[in-house]
Amino acid sequence: MAEQLVDTFGRVHRDLRISVTDRCNYRCTYCMPPEGLEWLPRSELLTFEEIERLARLLVERFGVGSIRLTGGEPTVRARLAKLVEMLVPLGTDLALTTNGATLGLLAEDLANAGLRRINISIDSLRADRFREFTLRDDLHRVLDGVDAALAAGLDPVKVNVVVMRGQNDDELLDFAEFGRRKGVEVRFIEYMPLDAEEGWRAGSVVGLAEITERIGEVFPFEAHRQGSEPASRFRYLDGKGFFGVVASVTQSFCGSCDRIRLTADGQFRNCLFGLEEYDLRGPLRSGAGDDELAEIVRGAVGDKWAGHSIGKVHFIRPARSMSQIGG
């Protein structure tokens, strides 16, 4: 039987997020400063073989049951379907988060490689606003990517929306209607202090209570059971699907969080908002055995703190932005 990765608060960690690249084909205002970021040299990125070895260790030694591939933007990593193919035999719940810009070209290959579900990030359904957010006139390509994911049989297809007051919160009902019409689950995500320009303010957050109230006025719903997933899920009473809210700020789910993260350059993180990183790439490339790597992971999870403390006076922002950590 696999050993459990348990922190000092008794939380068992089974959900692995792997960033396969720090690069992106957008320069989103949320993720990246106007001047851009300095990308990692290719030699500093974990190879597919290194990713597979670390993932296998976490699955077989510690019982990790789900893996999500993230970025940056994971689809800019060449031959991504090959990595999916390498990870499928581990038998986990394998998923991908993408901005969807090239998904129209890749969805079928990813599905054929064994990918089963996908999250597509779209922060506006209005072409002019989408262009302002991403500095790309690609909304039509992203919407085509949603259709391609559905046509490829990926299930579920979810759409992630970071809700920002005064910027896109007037589209809540547009997204709800979009999800109901397309048969995709929209997940509204509270705005978190991981923007690259460090412009986050508490007043920019549109919380779970407000989101659900505004949607419920038009589309009645009921609460749906929630497991370890961060999203509070709701079912439309007329049977036209579900939506979710990730209330990272107003209703922190740290107490049930089971996520661990591996950055594109091989740093292990025990929390999205963690201030420490634990190097796996160095030991891996120096010939470390599984026991040595496992001990680093075990110690890292043991160091995990109680929660992120967003909005509290003692909150300390991570040094890396979301695009550099991986969602």
Side-chain angles (χ1 to χ4, degrees), residues 4 19 21-22 25-26 52 113 132 159 161 170 185 195 199 212 235 254 269:
Q4 291 186 329
S19 175
T21 180
D22 65 327
N25 45 9
Y26 285 166
E52 191 275 343
E132 179 183 344
V159 168
V161 187
D170 57 344
E185 182 171 330
D195 56 308
T212 53
R235 185 183 70 86
C254 294
R269 297 178 63 91

Side-chain angles (χ1 to χ4, degrees), residues 122-129 139 143 159 161 163 167-188 211 214-216 218-219 236 243:
I122 312 175
D123 291 334
S124 179
L125 293 170
R126 303 180 185 181
D128 57 339
R129 185 176 286 172
L139 178 59
L143 296 179
V159 168
V161 187
V163 184
Q167 297 192 54
N168 65 351
D169 60 311
D170 57 344
E171 295 187 59
L172 289 174
L173 293 177
D174 294 338
F175 273 106
E177 192 280 329
F178 175 81
R180 288 162 53 84
R181 174 167 48 85
K182 286 285 187 181
V184 303
E185 182 171 330
V186 176
R187 301 203 321 170
F188 300 99
I211 292 170
R214 288 164 62 178
I215 291 175
V218 179
F219 303 117
Y236 293 114
F243 73 95

